[in-house]
Every structure is written in C-alpha cells, then in structure tokens.
Amino acid sequence: MTSAEHLADRASEHTGLTDFGPDSWREGLEILVRELQHSPSVTDSGREFTYGQYVDALSNRLRVIDYAKRHPEVSEENIERPLVVLGMPRTGTTVANYLLDQDPERRSLLNWEAVDSIPPPTTATLRSDPRCVTKLDRQRETLNALIAAGKGFPHWEDADGPTECIFVQSQDFKALLWEST
C-alpha cells in the first residue's frame, strides 16, 4: 500500500526539490491512489507502473515550480494570439494539432516536453533535444514490440510531434488522462 504522500516523497527524492506549489494536486492524487489500491482488476505490476507515472508527473511539477521561482520573468512573457484546440476525446483534436504544427509561424507543445518540461528547450533544439531523442528511441522499441506481438496500436503520438495540454494538466491530477489509464 502506498499514499499520495509517499509518492510525493519519491518525487522529491528523485528531483531533490520539495516545493510542489499550490496543494491543488493533492486531492486528485489521493483519490487516484485510493481507487488504484482498491481496484480488483489492477495487477501489482500495473499498480507499480501507474505509481511510477504519478511520480513522473509530480517530478515534472516540482521542476516547473522550481524553474518558475528561479525565473519570475517567465510569468511576464506575452503570448500573442494563441490558438487553443478544444474537443472531446476521439474527435480529431490530435489531427488538428498536427495540422497547426505545420505552420512555421506557430509553436506547438510537443509530446516529450509536456512531461519533461525543464529546462525548456530552445526553438533550435526542440526536436533534437536529448530528451526528445531518448523518448523517440523508447517509442520505437515499444512500437517494434507491439508489431512483433501482433498487438493493435493505442492512441499514438510521436515524441517529437505536437500534443495536447492533457499531459500538462495531469500534473495537477485532475486530467481525464488518469481516469483513462
């Protein structure tokens, strides 16, 4: 058995940071942990895998909070005319994001950086950042394993492709992502 506090401690140990910012994340994580612990259909390995995802989300949250504290000028930046894609799951929002990403005048949030945000990539290294390359390699391994096993493909987003804000929202433990997991 684990707790939200234990998972937060693991994230702190992993990052060396302790400031999670506002406590808005805590209630959602507590609910998710409680549900995961009492679900009879979850295997021990599945439970540990999901706990690892929670720790990863908390770790990124810690790094983002720390970065924002050390770089207060970030909150003063002006984002002119952002485009926001809204839609229910399976309605084409990913396709819309991929189409918008083709515009060289726009900057999309990429899959890899949504979950490993700090330090922020530069525009020049957005798709060549070592974190992106590492995630692409891991994805290729997963893809090859799925093909070899004759398995169907889940919803797939390349590490260097645009993604949706659900991964950023997941760090507050209120995103639909966790329920679907």
Side-chain angles (χ1 to χ4, degrees):
M1 297 293 263
T2 194
S3 66
E5 199 60 42
H6 175 73
L7 297 173
D9 289 344
R10 283 175 51 186
S12 288
E13 289 171 18
H14 178 72
T15 63
L17 302 168
T18 58
D19 185 358
F20 289 91
D23 257 1
S24 57
W25 59 274
R26 191 172 301 276
E27 179 184 19
L29 182 58
E30 288 171 351
I31 291 168
L32 289 167
V33 167
R34 186 172 50 250
E35 290 298 316
L36 193 61
Q37 288 175 347
H38 295 95
S39 176
S41 62
V42 179
T43 64
D44 289 341
S45 62
R47 191 172 287 111
E48 284 307 312
F49 177 80
T50 305
Y51 289 155
Q53 290 182 313
Y54 296 165
V55 171
D56 289 345
L58 286 167
S59 296
N60 198 59
R61 180 185 181 93
L62 283 164
R63 289 190 299 270
V64 168
I65 297 294
D66 180 65
Y67 186 86
K69 282 190 326 192
R70 291 184 294 109
H71 300 277
E73 68 276 8
V74 169
S75 65
E76 297 169 11
E77 288 187 28
N78 186 25
I79 300 172
E80 293 186 31
R81 300 179 61 204
L83 291 176
V84 179
V85 176
L86 298 173
M88 296 298 293
R90 317 298 335 140
T91 62
T93 53
T94 302
V95 171
N97 281 314
Y98 268 81
L99 289 171
L100 289 169
D101 188 57
Q102 298 304 303
D103 183 349
E105 299 296 314
R106 301 252 172 231
R107 162 70 162 86
S108 294
L109 173 67
L110 299 187
N111 177 278
W112 74 267
E113 70 175 323
V115 295
D116 196 0
S117 311
I118 303 301
T122 65
T123 303
T125 63
L126 191 58
R127 286 180 165 87
S128 62
D129 185 289
R131 296 168 291 175
C132 177
V133 173
T134 298
K135 187 167 183 181
L136 278 169
D137 289 343
R138 283 195 321 257
Q139 283 185 324
R140 280 188 203 99
E141 291 172 10
T142 300
L143 194 57
N144 289 335
L146 287 170
I147 291 169
K151 299 284 183 178
F153 292 87
H155 176 83
W156 192 266
E157 292 182 8
D158 290 322
D160 62 349
T163 193
E164 301 172 36
C165 62
I166 193 167
F167 296 105
V168 175
Q169 294 168 352
S170 71
Q171 297 165 35
D172 205 44
F173 297 94
K174 295 177 185 73
L176 181 63
L177 169 77
W178 296 123
E179 290 182 24
S180 65
T181 300

